[in-house]
Structure formats: structure tokens, C-alpha cells
Amino acid sequence: MSEATAVVSHFLALQPFAPFDHEAAERLLTLVDRRLNDVAERLLAGDEVEVDLVLRDEAERWTAVGGCAGVRAALCEAFAMPDPPIDETGEFRAEWVLAHYAYRGNDLLPRLLPHLASLGVPALTDVLAAVTVVGEIVSRVDPATAYVEMDELIGRFLSADHETGIAVRSHLTLMEPAMRRATSAAARASQLVRDAGESDETRANALADSYKRLVEGPFRQFSWAMFCLGEGTWSDPPTLGVLRDRLVAAGGRLGHVTARVVIPELRNGEAHETLVWDGFAEHFVTEGVQISAQQVVDSAELAQCFVAGCEAGLAAIRFLDLSGPVPPLPEHDEPGRMPTWRRVQAFFGTNRLRLLDASLNTRHASLSVERLGLTDVNPCIQALVLSRRLLPSVESFSVRDSGGEVMISVSADALAATMPAWEFAVANLDQIPLATFLPANLDARMRIEQHNVAIRSAAWIAVDDAVGIIDGSPEVWEEEDRSLIDTRLHVVELAVRATRQHLGTPAPRLDSVAGSVAALRTWITQQRPTRARLAEHRSEFARLRMQWENWGPVPRHPLVSEDDTRDPNERQPRLRKAPKDLAFRTL
């Protein structure tokens, strides 16, 4: 990277949280270039160098963000959130941003777009990738360094030959689970370092462990990837010692960063188990070499910023693979998207669920959310429907609330059975009715209630939706009203029939509901009634009304109290117009 480009990168990094003034940056850079040439000429001529008042005045007008008071305040400012989206380990949580803006995408975009322009990635239209890029930069103690590393990785990738770029991308994709494991372990160790209640030795050992995992893990992978992109040839990463020698010998900013990050004595001490903490002198000792704790802290923080910048850069690079028509529904093997685990967590956020923890690398996935109240049942099942699409090898999912009192468990097969009704509903309605998720809801209930009770409950949910559609309709039916009513009844019919098929055993209640709803649809589409009260004279609707009165009411889920406050924003679904552009609408 040329010196001029490096200067621009740092100028950009100074203002990552507000719309960037490109004209001011170019004007200042032009004056800096002119001044450097002038000073060089004067020095060669032996003339006196005076202060450049024009440059000084322009520099003083440069309104670099002085930064908020710490990372937490910076994140709150960047995303306009009352609480910072970082967990107790200090890791950025993109899904918490999405949860804060759930169902309010039009409020999130004005926050994101200026940041993306400032960071030089305005074309990034995957909302999860966009939030991740901004968050990875802002959440670091040195966001300027994180930004420069992001800019460097993107620049090297775009300049590299196609074969090298593909090889680097393939390797980083392959190593993503291992790097995530190392990063998470380093974050947990760093949390222990910050715990003032622990002994100095415990905190020092945690510091060494965090440093080792960061440097041996993601730093080694990303620094070698960046080096290979610059060299135009790919080979597997060498050991850390060899890597340090190669990169430092190559020089440049990457070599300088590597020299500061990799402490050979500390690395060797950890590898050979000779590293100890001297609590009296308060420094590390290994084979006669003393290493101050502050040096390790500085190296670890630089490594964190380097890795965060590379993660942001990789998110932007990955997006380049997203070409052609965007599928309306998520696919597990869709190119150009974020890693699957990030997408799964993001879908809980977009469904207004604050995810605390997730174990997804297993046949029986388990997740924990902050709360599971009355208004969270539908969003939770919808998040699981989407998660099942991304995790085809998972056999079952369980979601608990933070208190452990509520748990929704459902099989992957039941979620698959839910797909037809859900796909139809999401394509035609702007809100998803409860009955849409009937197969998954019944599967979850049968793990708690007796089977006959669970089936009656599921049947009542379908009846409740069907009766509510008619009762909630206007007195006079226009063509649009009949279309909406038929669409909503179609969702109920699809869900009931899918539930009946998934159940695989006789279920007269479900058969009765499906028949009544189908008859109602036939009446509406063929006879085109003009008033809601005419439905009261239909035998199928009278039967549904009687079933509604006798089979219920039932809670949305057996473990969720119906005393919970209902969502004030909950309303009757309306027909949905298909978006012309899926930019910022898919993850």
C-alpha cells in the first residue's frame, strides 16, 4: 500500500462512526503532499522551512471524532442503542443489534449506510454482514487500526490474481470454526483478566492464555493470508515462529505489526511449558527472559484489532460471491453469505429475541434467550424454521429462557413440515398468524402435554385463527377483503393438513377443521359473498364456532403464561406486496 493510500486509510479510520467528509480528506491530503514536496526541496537547497499556515488551518478544521468514552459508548453511539451490543466477554453481538431493530429495518438502515460509506464498503447489502463490519471495527480499543487492516485485506484481495484469491478464501472458510473457537476461548480468558476479584497470578495466566489463543489462532491465519495475497501465491500457514521471521523480513506495515504482536520468548515459553509468572517482580519469566505484563497486553490488544479488522474485511470479501438473483429464502449452501452459525443467531435477532448462548455443533441444538413470553412464541418458532433450513444435519432444537422456566423443544422434521404453510404465508402476508406454525407447535406441545390434549390444543389454535379471520373482517367485503380472507384461510388449511400428515395417526379434530376451512374457502371464492354476517349462516362456520367455544382457549405454548402482556403492535395480517429488491432484506 502506497504512503498516500495509507494516509487516506488513517483519515477514513478517524471518522468511522459518522458520515465521512471525503472532500475535506482529499483537500487535506493534497496539502500534505504539496507540503512534503516543498519541505524536501527546501532541505535539499539548504533553505529554512517555515510553518505552512494554510495546512495548519485546514488540519485544525478536520473534525476527527475524538471518540466516545470507551468502546461501550462508541457502540451505543454507532448503532443508536441504549445498551452496547457486547456480551460479558467483550465480544460484539450483531444479533443484538438486529434484535433492537427487529421489524424496524427502515430505522436501522439510516444508521448503517453512513458507516458503510465511511468504511469504504457502501455496496454491502447483506444486513448481517453490514452490521458485523461496523461492529467489528467499532468494538475494538483501537478502531483506526482495525479499519486499516480491513482496508488492507480488501485491497490485497482485489489486487491479487484470481487463483490466489480463491485459495485464500477457501482456506479461511475451512479454518473458520477453529478460528471462532480460538477467538471465543481468548475472549473468555480476557474476561478473567478483567476480573479484579481474581488473584494477580490467575489473571496473569489468563492473559498468557488469551494471548496464545489469539496469536496462534486467528492472527496466524489472517496475517499469513494477507501476506500470500501480497505475494501472489498461496501455501499453508507455517508455524508461528517461521511466520514471524518471514513477515518481518518482508518488511512493510504487515511486518511491523507482526513484530509487535508475536513475542518469540512468550510464544516459545508457552509451547515448551517454561513460562511462569513472577508475582513478586510482577512479570513473566521464561528461560531467563523477563516479559512485562503490559507488553503482553499491548500485543494482545493489537492482535485483537488486527483480527477484528480482518474479520470485517472477510465479511466484505465474502459478499462478492453473492451474484445473480437472490433467493427469497435462506439456503445453507448459499454463496456470499456469512457463516451459518452467525446467520442462525441473526435470525433470532430479527425475530426480536435476545440470544444469550447457542450450541449448534450437535445433532440436538440448544439455545438460550433472555425471555420467552407470550409474544415470543411465534417469533421463536419462526427463528427455528429458518435455522432448520440452515442446519439440515440438526435433528432437534431446544430454546430456553434465561430463568430456565420455559423451554420450547421441537424436532427438525416438524419444522420441515411447517415449511409449506410458512412459505405461503411469508410470501403473501405481512404478518405470520399463529396457526402457520401448527406442525411445530403440536410437536412442541406433545413433549409436555398428553397427546390427545396436545392435538385438541393444536386444533383449537387453527380454529381460533379461522374464526378470528371472519370476526376480524369488515362488515362489507370488497374484492380485496375476500382475497385477504381466502389467503389467510389457505394458510390455516395448509398448516392443518401438514400437521395431520406429520402426525401420521388418526386425528378427527384436525380432519374436521381442515374440511370446514376448505368449505369456507370454496364458498368465498365461488359465491363471492359481500357481507361478513353471511358466514354465520354457513354450517361449516357454525361448526368452527362451536369448536372454538368447546375446545379452548389454550395457551400458545403450555409453559408460557397467558397473563403476559400482549404486544401492542400485534394486528391483523394484511396482504403483502413482494419487494422489487431484496437488498438489505436477506441474511
Side-chain angles (χ1 to χ4, degrees), residues 464-473 484-486 488-489 492 572:
D464 184 50
D465 258 13
V467 171
I469 291 167
I470 304 299
D471 288 350
S473 66
L484 173 60
I485 292 168
D486 179 60
R488 293 186 59 188
L489 288 173
V492 176
Q572 292 288 324

Side-chain angles (χ1 to χ4, degrees), residues 302-376:
L302 180 56
Q304 286 178 333
C305 294
F306 181 93
V307 169
C310 289
E311 288 282 8
L314 183 59
I317 291 169
R318 186 186 290 111
F319 180 71
L320 297 176
D321 290 341
L322 190 63
S323 59
V326 177
L329 298 177
E331 302 293 343
H332 73 278
D333 55 354
E334 189 179 350
R337 295 300 190 185
M338 296 292 285
T340 297
W341 67 274
R342 287 189 183 272
R343 297 174 74 191
V344 168
Q345 294 185 176
F347 280 129
F348 276 81
T350 57
N351 281 285
R352 202 177 52 195
L353 295 163
R354 189 178 177 91
L355 186 66
L356 302 179
D357 192 25
S359 176
L360 307 176
N361 187 27
T362 171
R363 291 196 301 270
H364 304 286
S366 61
L367 305 99
S368 173
V369 296
E370 192 169 72
R371 69 182 295 273
L372 272 177
L374 173 69
T375 58
D376 302 315

Side-chain angles (χ1 to χ4, degrees), residues 12-30:
L12 285 166
L14 288 175
Q15 291 188 318
F17 319 135
F20 180 65
D21 191 341
H22 292 274
E23 292 183 2
E26 293 294 341
R27 190 165 57 245
L28 182 56
L29 181 59
T30 299

